[in-house]
Amino acid sequence: MTPFKKKTELIWLESTDSTNAELRRQLDRLDNLSVIATVEQTAGRGQGSHTWYASPGKNLTFSLLLRFPESGPMYLEASDALLLTCVASLSIRSYLEEKGISAGIKWPNDIWVDGRKICGMLIENRLEGSRIKESIIGIGLNINETGWPAELPNPVSLTELTGEQYDIRKELEILSKTIRRRYNQLGSPDGRTALQEEFGKYMFRLDGEQQS
């Protein structure tokens, strides 16, 4: 039996500063696996001080809420945080694979295709003692983008890779189902091992990078 069967709640906004920030503002009313997505994100963030570029209406910019119980198969220690990186990055990789695209995971959680970045993530975990109580996973996935700022060194979009245009709302529905499947793997020791092994298979670092 899978740990979670409820359909994911997808909330679309026309505009917000950051979907991670918006999810935090609505945290008390949201169920597990809720998603907040926006047509326009005015202050999207990446890792560290980086910002995330996305033309309004062309890409997926969304945040996902994962909640974890105080006991049971879905319990996560703070030391298990890498499993959340595995869930998120492998979900994107599986989604792209279904489109015929083979992607790698640049440490810790960027998704690259042939040396170009198609997806970035920002994962924020909320702790209660030594356990992870909740995780907010912000994802920016380049879907229909074709006009890039000159300062971005190596971006790529799904449209540039396939030559097709996509309905971002339909694509989020597809991707959310993939995320649910990966999330459910956390409910068993075998599932967690499989996540870590698959992540290790597709993860790479650029020369000189160190794991933090």
Side-chain angles (χ1 to χ4, degrees):
M1 181 179 295
T2 56
F4 195 86
K5 291 185 175 181
K6 181 179 178 292
K7 184 178 178 181
T8 302
E9 181 183 12
L10 303 180
I11 301 168
W12 274 96
L13 306 174
E14 284 303 311
S15 181
T16 191
D17 52 353
S18 156
T19 55
N20 270 29
E22 183 64 34
L23 197 152
R24 287 196 300 272
R25 290 191 286 266
Q26 299 193 35
L27 190 62
D28 291 342
R29 60 166 291 274
L30 294 174
D31 291 332
N32 188 26
L33 285 172
S34 292
V35 172
I36 292 182
T38 189
V39 174
E40 179 183 33
Q41 185 170 239
T42 60
R45 292 195 300 124
Q47 293 291 334
S49 61
H50 295 164
T51 58
W52 184 258
Y53 176 82
S55 296
K58 289 190 174 182
N59 308 290
L60 284 178
T61 48
F62 67 96
S63 293
L64 164 75
L65 173 63
L66 300 182
R67 296 187 186 275
F68 298 96
E70 296 183 22
S71 61
M74 301 300 284
Y75 175 89
L76 280 187
E77 288 279 354
S79 58
D80 295 324
L82 181 60
L83 285 168
L84 300 176
T85 296
C86 296
V87 166
S89 57
L90 290 172
S91 294
I92 300 297
R93 192 188 178 281
S94 292
Y95 164 82
L96 292 172
E97 192 169 42
E98 291 173 359
K99 305 290 187 186
I101 297 167
S102 179
I105 303 164
K106 178 184 169 294
W107 176 262
N109 50 23
D110 288 340
I111 308 300
W112 283 30
V113 178
D114 295 331
R116 294 181 290 174
K117 183 175 176 177
I118 194 170
C119 178
M121 305 179 198
L122 178 63
I123 300 176
E124 301 176 319
N125 296 325
R126 295 164 59 90
L127 303 182
E128 187 174 80
S130 64
R131 77 178 182 95
I132 297 175
K133 180 181 180 182
E134 296 152 342
S135 183
I136 297 173
I137 302 176
I139 295 176
L141 177 59
N142 301 328
I143 300 291
N144 295 314
E145 193 72 58
T146 56
W148 302 103
E151 64 269 20
L152 294 182
N154 60 346
V156 71
S157 69
L158 189 56
T159 286
E160 290 175 320
L161 293 168
T162 67
E164 299 181 21
Q165 290 287 317
Y166 299 87
D167 182 325
I168 59 173
R169 294 177 185 252
K170 289 181 179 179
E171 294 308 311
L172 182 56
E173 291 177 4
I174 294 169
L175 178 53
S176 69
K177 293 176 182 178
T178 302
I179 293 172
R180 283 206 309 276
R181 290 197 299 269
R182 291 294 187 175
Y183 168 81
N184 283 336
Q185 287 185 260
L186 295 174
S188 72
D190 287 348
R192 294 185 182 198
T193 297
L195 284 169
Q196 292 172 314
E197 290 179 349
E198 189 175 354
F199 180 81
K201 179 180 178 181
Y202 295 111
M203 189 271 292
F204 68 93
R205 299 183 183 87
L206 297 181
D207 291 343
E209 287 186 334
Q210 298 294 325
Q211 179 173 336
S212 58

